[in-house]
Amino acid sequence: MAVGIRQQMTVEAFDQWVATQDSDYEYIGGESVSVVSNNYASQIGMLIGSFITLFVTQHRLGWVTGADGGYIVDNERYIPDVGFIGVSRQPQPNRDAYNPRHPDLAVEVVSPTDDIKQLMIKVSHYLAAGTVVWVVYPDEREVHVYRSGQGARIFDEDDTLTTDRLPDFKLPVANIFPAEKESE
């Protein structure tokens, strides 16, 4: 969910600059990009994060971050809506602004103002690092799952999300989209 102010800079300058800011920024393709969302996309991200966090906590599999947890991926700085990193790769929680280890699973919820080109840059870098990526399209009520070396697989509300990064985890896609009341 990256949109808003853009500023070209080096990654070193970004690391110094972002430490002085009051809001979240990503570093994508050599630009600092403010992270902005909307309530609907945020709600979906929180819901997915809740399901994943509950599962990971119950099985002691690792660490889950929300839309404030940053990661360094291919020398860029990303803040996925949900990130998971397994305890085998990171035995203790990370306390850095941007975790130097890439997530095992990244969830990006698309909001109306997102720049799809920047999103696809992020997806390609995540994949190169070995991260599985779920890109959630709220308006279409779909999740596109990206795995390294494979094409995107599209899941709709009749499908169930699984991943080898979270063995035995199952999340029906229908459960991540809030029911909307029909207009009277």
Side-chain angles (χ1 to χ4, degrees), residues 57-83:
T57 302
Q58 286 176 338
H59 295 85
R60 298 183 178 162
L61 296 175
W63 317 104
V64 180
T65 57
D68 290 322
Y71 294 86
I72 297 175
V73 180
D74 194 24
N75 208 31
E76 297 205 334
R77 310 301 189 257
Y78 299 155
I79 304 174
D81 296 295
V82 181

Side-chain angles (χ1 to χ4, degrees), residues 26 69-74 77-83 102-108 119-135 146 148 165:
E26 293 182 314
Y71 294 86
I72 297 175
V73 180
D74 194 24
R77 310 301 189 257
Y78 299 155
I79 304 174
D81 296 295
V82 181
H102 64 84
D104 292 314
L105 172 67
V107 179
E108 297 282 353
L119 176 62
M120 290 299 108
I121 289 171
K122 288 171 65 173
V123 168
S124 68
H125 288 170
Y126 279 133
L127 293 175
T131 300
V132 172
V133 186
W134 294 355
V135 178
Y146 296 87
S148 187
R165 306 305 164 97

Side-chain angles (χ1 to χ4, degrees), residues 12 33 58 63 87 91 101 109 114 128 152 158-159 161 171 176:
E12 294 83 10
V33 181
Q58 286 176 338
W63 317 104
V87 71
R101 294 176 183 91
V109 181
D114 275 341
D158 295 328
D159 298 316
L161 293 166
L171 177 56
I176 66 173

Side-chain angles (χ1 to χ4, degrees), residues 48 51-52 54-56 59 61 134 159-164 166-176:
I48 294 169
F51 285 118
I52 292 173
L54 183 59
F55 185 84
V56 166
H59 295 85
L61 296 175
W134 294 355
D159 298 316
T160 299
L161 293 166
T162 62
T163 178
D164 62 345
L166 300 169
D168 300 322
F169 178 76
K170 293 182 172 122
L171 177 56
V173 174
N175 289 358
I176 66 173

